[in-house]
């Protein structure tokens, strides 16, 4: 239920000189009563004689009527009212005649016949209409005047929903014994795989704080400190290059628990998410979300079947590994890919009518995604209708048809490339096709991805798939880091990762082993994370936790197009804030105090 339909659920107002009721409280049960309301002029209609003003506050809109006979001086004043003026008005609640009832408004059965009006603030003509807005305004303008944009009912609803989500999280975690503890914003680097934002120190010139990419290390210290169950609605900062729909500062629900296994953390989080859904979703939507326990899928299986580590399991079109069927093939494209360590993967898109132009567009899309090409085919008899059919033997075609469970007329798509690329490309095409063919049902899917590799190879070295503090399953064989599995889990909602975490390393020697794999020497580890290693030496309980991207979570709940629609004051893609003008140059004197000098070009990186 939205706030705007629920004025009765708002705390009663203590009457003062501005108002004694919310706009949204103007309901038939108050007929004949006097009411004083305050708010913004939402809409104004001047019918020569009668003047109608829709007045808006946070709870809704009420229609004010100014009548030349009955409103006295207030009618005269009302002539000059303009959109977004701020007023207080007193009048009598009158039932509307049947033909003027507005069924679109919760207060649409009554109106307020005004006898007293005070203008509290004149408004300049706003750069875009609050009332008339229909999405035509550019985002830059909306963000530049965000305080006006936020007046619009959809934005008010988004903020209210966000509040309800965090309240439900806090309530649930509080009941489960979690303590909300704040951790520093000015700190040292917390490696989550992004670049740090740095803040120069004035008192120690030449030294810098880093803004936290997450509270990871502090929440581990809080476990060492014996708090056992911690959470925080935490601001995190990651200085990443342009990536659509990301924010350089964003919010996580971050939590950590002691004396737990991965199963415990997942179970506690299923309870949490389920409780949040119960608290904030309409029943009809709630019914489309399954109750826990949520299914679990190992990482390797997710890649093999869905092409990525955030499987959208609401529909089929699963990938198949065709490599074994094609090891001996004469077709150079397939064979070459396999011989150089690659794979051939395919998917059966079902019986589809696709003209040549659409198939060409699919090839182009696959190439944009980094594939060298895309083979398409329709099953015809025992073989294929496809430009590629002539390169494959009859036995191979039969085998491929069977591996892809192809029936007459089914469209088959095949990519031969490195294991990662072939999965990624087909995984993305799978999502495109589901969208295009309308295969996504209302039923939602929540799934845990488990059994992650600890490390992935990158540029000849190793990189942590989660972060360097994730505990391996069993031990760590330094000679074979690629084989190590992590006690990590990500939660994926309709194909989007909404949270991820792990059991942590709680032994200093094991932590150093993980650092060794990542190429972090003991000296470097001591310099960067010495405080953590030291804490682990003073009695660290086994612990683990998770963090959710809160902005993304609320965006999904709301069905908003952009993450920016659920953040009060977001930044644009270049990292700038059109409202305040941040980031901005600073005075030379401020730089001098910091011992800094700006060199070279200024301005946004294109
Ligand atoms: N700190 C991790 C992150 O920000 C989450 C976790 O491991 O709890 O992704």
């Amino acid at each position: 239920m939205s706030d705007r339909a629920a004025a009765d659920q708002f705390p009663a107002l203590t009457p003062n000189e501005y108002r004694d009721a919310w706009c949204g409280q103007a309901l038939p049960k108050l007929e004949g009563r006097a009411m004083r309301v305050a708010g913004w002029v939402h809409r104004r209609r001047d019918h020569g004689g009668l003047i109608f003003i829709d007045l808006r506050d946070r709870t809704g809109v009420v229609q004010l009527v100014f009548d030349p006979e009955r409103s006295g001086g207030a009618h005269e004043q009302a002539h000059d009212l303009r959109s977004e003026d701020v007023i207080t008005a007193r009048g009598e609640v009158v039932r509307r005649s049947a033909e003027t009832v507005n069924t679109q408004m919760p207060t649409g059965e009554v109106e307020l016949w005004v006898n007293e009006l005070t203008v509290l603030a004149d408004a300049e003509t706003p750069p875009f209409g609050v009332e008339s807005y229909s999405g035509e305004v550019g985002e830059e303008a909306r963000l530049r005047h965000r305080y006006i944009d936020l007046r619009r009912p959809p934005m008010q609803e988004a903020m209210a929903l966000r509040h309800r989500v965090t309240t439900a999280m806090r309530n649930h975690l509080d009941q489960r014994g979690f303590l909300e503890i704040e951790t520093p914003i000015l700190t040292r680097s917390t490696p989550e795989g992004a670049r740090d934002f740095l803040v120069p120190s004035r008192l120690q010139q030449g030294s810098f704080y880093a803004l936290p990419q997450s509270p990871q290390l502090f929440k581990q210290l809080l476990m060492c400190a014996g708090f056992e169950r911690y959470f925080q609605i935490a601001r995190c900062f990651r200085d990443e290059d342009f990536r659509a729909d990301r924010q350089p500062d964003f919010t996580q629900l971050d939590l950590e628990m002691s004396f737990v296994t991965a199963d415990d953390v997942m179970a506690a989080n299923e309870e949490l998410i389920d409780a949040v859904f119960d608290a904030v979703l309409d029943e009809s939507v709630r019914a489309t979300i399954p109750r826990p326990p949520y299914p679990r899928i190992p990482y390797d299986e997710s890649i093999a079947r869905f092409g990525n580590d955030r499987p959208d399991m609401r529909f089929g079109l699963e990938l198949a590994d065709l490599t074994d069927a094609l090891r001996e093939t004469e077709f150079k494209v397939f064979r070459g890919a396999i011989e150089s360590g690659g794979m051939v993967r395919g998917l059966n898109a079902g019986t589809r009518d696709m003209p040549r132009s659409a198939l060409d567009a699919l090839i182009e899309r696959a190439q944009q995604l980094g594939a060298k090409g895309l083979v398409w085919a329709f099953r015809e008899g025992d073989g294929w209708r496809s430009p590629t059919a002539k390169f494959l033997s009859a036995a191979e075609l039969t085998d491929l048809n069977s591996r892809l469970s192809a029936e007459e007329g089914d469209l088959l798509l095949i990519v031969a490339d490195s294991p990662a690329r072939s999965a990624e490309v087909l995984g993305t095409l799978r999502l495109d096709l589901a969208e295009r063919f309308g295969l996504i049902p209302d039923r939602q899917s929540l799934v845990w991805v488990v059994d992650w590799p600890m490390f992935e190879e990158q540029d000849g070295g190793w990189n942590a798939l989660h972060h360097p503090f994730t505990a391996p399953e069993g031990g760590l064989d330094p000679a074979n880091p690629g084989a190590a599995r992590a006690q990590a889990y990500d939660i994926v909602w309709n194909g989007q990762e909404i949270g991820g975490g792990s059991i942590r390393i709680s032994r200093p020697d094991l932590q150093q082993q993980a650092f060794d794999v990542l190429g972090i020497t003991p000296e470097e580890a001591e310099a960067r994370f010495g405080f953590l290693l030291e804490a682990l030496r003073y009695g660290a309980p086994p612990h683990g936790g998770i963090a959710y991207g809160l902005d993304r979570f609320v965006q999904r709940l709301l069905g908003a197009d952009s993450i920016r629609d659920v953040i009060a004051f977001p930044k644009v893609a270049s990292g700038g804030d059109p409202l305040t003008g941040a980031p901005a140059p600073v005075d030379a004197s401020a730089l001098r105090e910091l011992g800094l000098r700006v060199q070279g070009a200024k301005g946004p990186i294109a």
Side-chain angles (χ1 to χ4, degrees), residues 437-469:
F437 299 135
L439 304 181
I440 302 173
D442 283 342
R443 182 175 41 81
Q444 313 210 31
S445 123
L446 277 147
V447 51
W448 290 103
V449 179
V450 295
D451 295 342
W452 289 73
M454 279 283 282
F455 308 105
E456 60 187 349
E457 249 179 310
Q458 206 182 45
D459 309 325
W462 295 97
N463 209 8
L465 243 78
H466 278 84
H467 50 60
F469 314 102

Side-chain angles (χ1 to χ4, degrees), residues 192 213-216 219 236 238 252 254-256 466-467 470 500-502 504 545-547:
E192 297 281 2
Q213 294 185 33
S214 82
Q216 182 63 36
K219 66 176 172 175
C236 305
R238 298 184 189 177
Q252 285 187 345
D254 189 48
L255 61 88
E256 195 78 4
H466 278 84
H467 50 60
T470 300
S502 58
R504 325 298 181 185
I546 195 168

Side-chain angles (χ1 to χ4, degrees), residues 282-290:
D282 282 341
E283 245 170 71
S284 58
V285 181
R286 181 68 188 89
T288 65
I289 304 182

